[in-house]
């Protein structure tokens, strides 16, 4: 798929924005998840399981979605992932115990696995051969900028408005 240079720049900017927004959401929750988990009585191994379940689910889902999106409409997978990511962000408001929180983390991690591989594949597909590394670098910078900004936002929102507001903000 080849676009004009202007269209390629436009699409890469949209992909970067999607990555940035998703990673802000991830960043918002990361510094808060331990505190939130302790409200359910989690300590030790449960804190580890709650924190790790997101990454484990994402690790399982990412290669599967990557492979499927190679054969089907990438945009659809990215949109499904973004919508599920937002929806599952609100699910943090529902658990009444540690196990419910683990399930939410697994679902949220699985949803995030729909975003990153599809964004990178799409960008790699549309970037001109002499701009692939710089295009992927641009997306990676957007990803880490979002991940870096998210904890500041999450800390602020939780401090002044509480955990529930942080989860709504993440969504």
């Amino acid at each position: 798929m080849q676009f004009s240079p202007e269209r390629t720049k436009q699409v890469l900017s949209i992909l970067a924005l999607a990555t940035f927004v998703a990673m802000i959401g991830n960043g918002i929750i990361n510094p808060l998840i331990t505190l939130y988990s302790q409200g359910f009585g989690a300590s030790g191994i449960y804190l580890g399981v709650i924190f790790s379940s997101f990454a484990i689910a994402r690790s399982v889902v990412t290669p599967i979605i990557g492979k499927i999106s190679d054969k089907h409409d990438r945009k659809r997978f990215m949109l499904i992932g973004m919508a599920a990511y937002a929806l599952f962000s609100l699910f943090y408001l529902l658990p009444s115990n540690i196990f419910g929180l683990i399930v939410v983390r697994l679902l949220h991690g699985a949803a995030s696995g729909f975003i990153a591989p599809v964004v990178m594949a799409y960008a790699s597909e549309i970037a001109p051969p002499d701009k692939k590394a710089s295009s992927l670098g641009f997306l990676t910078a957007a990803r880490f900028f979002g991940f870096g900004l998210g904890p500041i936002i999450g800390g602020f929102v939780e401090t002044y408005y509480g955990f529930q507001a942080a989860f709504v903000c993440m969504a």
Side-chain angles (χ1 to χ4, degrees):
M1 172 183 322
Q2 282 303 100
F3 293 132
S4 69
E6 297 82 29
R7 180 70 176 142
T8 298
K9 197 180 236 184
Q10 208 176 36
V11 173
L12 286 172
S13 295
I14 291 167
L15 293 173
L17 180 62
T19 300
F20 173 74
V21 168
M23 292 310 291
I24 281 179
N26 195 5
I28 284 172
I29 190 65
N30 273 348
L32 303 177
I33 197 67
T34 300
L35 295 172
Y36 188 65
S37 300
Q38 288 172 334
F40 293 112
S43 63
I45 189 72
Y46 284 117
L47 286 173
V49 171
I50 289 165
F51 197 85
S52 296
S53 56
F54 180 96
I56 291 168
R58 183 176 180 166
S59 297
V60 170
V61 169
T62 296
I64 295 166
I65 294 305
K67 185 174 183 173
I68 294 169
S69 78
D70 283 340
K71 296 176 181 156
H72 301 284
D73 182 18
R74 291 190 201 285
K75 282 193 275 187
R76 182 179 309 153
F77 282 92
M78 193 172 71
L79 292 172
I80 289 169
M82 295 293 282
Y85 191 88
L87 176 66
F88 294 145
S89 294
L90 296 173
F91 281 21
Y92 284 91
L93 301 170
L94 303 176
S96 58
N97 58 47
I98 292 169
F99 301 106
L101 186 55
I102 291 168
V103 170
V104 171
R105 293 286 290 168
L106 287 167
L107 291 170
H108 203 216
S112 77
F114 277 67
I115 302 166
V118 177
V119 165
M120 293 299 189
Y122 196 21
S124 182
E125 189 176 274
I126 66 166
D130 63 330
K131 304 248 190 227
K132 286 199 189 296
S134 62
S135 296
L136 294 176
F138 176 63
L139 291 175
T140 301
R143 178 179 179 192
F144 284 105
F145 186 59
F147 192 66
L149 190 58
I152 296 166
I153 295 169
F156 177 84
V157 171
E158 190 281 327
T159 297
Y160 292 102
Y161 304 103
F163 285 114
Q164 289 76 16
F167 298 131
V168 171
C169 184
M170 178 174 52

